[in-house]
Amino acid sequence: MSQSSEAVISEAIDRLTLAGSGDDDQHEDEHDEYNEHEDEDEPKIGKVKITELEEVQAPKKKKKKKRNKPKNPRPSGFEESHVEGPLTLATVQEEEALYHPSKPFSERIEICIQRYKAKRKFDALRSQIFTTYLTLGGISTGPKQFSGGLDYKQNDHLDKEQLETMAATDFVSTSLDEDDEWEVDFPFVVRGFLSHRVPYVLGYIEVAHLELAAQVVRNFLNYIVYHSVAPEHADGIQEAIRICDLAEKELVLCRHTSHRLPGNFNMACSTLFGGHYAGMKDESQSWDTLSPPVGLTTNEAIEIFNACVQARGTPEQKEMGLDVDVVKAEYVGMEVTGIVFPNIERKRVNKVEAKEENTTTTDANTDGKSNPPTPTPTPAGTKQYEATGVRALGKLLVKPWTPDDEIQPETDLGEFAIWLELEVLQFCFTGMHLEAKVHRLSSGIIWIDSVTAVQCSFYLQLDPPDKGGDNLSDDDFD
């Protein structure tokens, strides 16, 4: 293309551009005139139109993305349905070396505890239970050979077993490991922990916590068995597991029994004969309280005592009634030897039969119509105490008892019976132990005034092995 042709084309393009811009200016002017007429009718705040304010919107908040929780959280290892998975060949070979019988038991149990804790998810409560159990068995918790952590780079020449041993935070005390008199006894430690340490030292009173204590210990013992940590103590460990099974039931029953003792009859005796509940409930109290008053009034106690003596007493006791005195009071430890439950089913049948006889008896002079039974009149404003039903009286047969290695109490009591309501007896069991203040009346009736302890059949008071060991003086052995 020649230069002249290029110049012509360039000039044409410039003209078109100028023409287009002129048209735009004309359109803008026309648009401005239109807007001026339109703005006259629109409301303003100052020079700003309200429509412009409405168009200004706050920025929309971004929605937070919800973090997806794992559908299947990691199991804790304490679930009721939890079962140890099969061991691989490599794991079996590794544990055969770790728990070889030629190694001292103290070394094997230290490694076992560390590996067990790594495979369980402990919460605060389970951790407290397990740590207290280990302490009672002579296992100390804390740094063993180092402080501030273990530097694996400086100890890279050690094998895995040596590193695990150095990193262990639960270990057998050196003094116990070197003591020839120290003996491994799994049932002994479990007895002392579950029957005494859990209810009296840890102070667990809720049913769920009592059950959990037995479950945690049993879970650990089953781990020891499954991984063959101490085959020489297999029989003792199995016995300890049976104690855990027993404790899971008995601890709960002891809690229910303790909550319901001494029962209405014994409380009535205590109120009438100067015991713990005497004067506890004010008979003149008429205002409302947030919690019901504890104890019985004198009138309530008299009614209960008379009803129970007439239902369960001997002819001599019925004749004496309230004309009795307390001849002896003493603190006694007792072991339950038997339970005599009230035969309330027979009484209910008798009541039903009597009611049917009254409703089906007919008289020829009344054209076959049944004669309704005549109700027995009761004094107005009084509620008769029933010795049947849920308050039916039975007997708790007991004998004097003291814990192991304690001096036998000086008492002339042999095996004797305590009257208790069914609502208390249903939680008692043979072998249960009670510690209570016992009173005897001149009529021969024995009743319990206040109960200080309700204990398992395998009760054993056991303290940690190092408690007071360094503080004993020569005078303590005189």
Side-chain angles (χ1 to χ4, degrees), residues 414-444:
E415 186 173 7
F416 59 97
I418 298 173
W419 292 357
L420 283 174
E421 288 81 4
L422 178 61
E423 60 184 357
V424 183
L425 288 177
Q426 63 182 331
F427 297 105
C428 298
F429 56 89
T430 302
M432 174 186 281
H433 298 124
L434 307 173
E435 294 183 12
K437 189 175 184 181
V438 176
H439 293 248
R440 278 182 278 180
L441 299 178
S442 55
S443 61

Side-chain angles (χ1 to χ4, degrees), residues 262-268 296 299-312 351 378-379 382-394 419-423:
N264 283 338
F265 170 73
N266 292 279
M267 191 184 297
L296 300 168
N299 291 335
E300 290 172 341
I302 292 174
E303 185 180 359
I304 292 173
F305 181 84
N306 288 334
C308 292
V309 170
Q310 292 301 317
R312 286 290 179 269
K351 286 185 177 182
T378 56
T382 62
K383 183 179 179 181
Q384 186 177 1
Y385 177 81
E386 295 182 359
T388 58
V390 294
R391 292 182 176 178
L393 273 183
W419 292 357
L420 283 174
E421 288 81 4
L422 178 61
E423 60 184 357

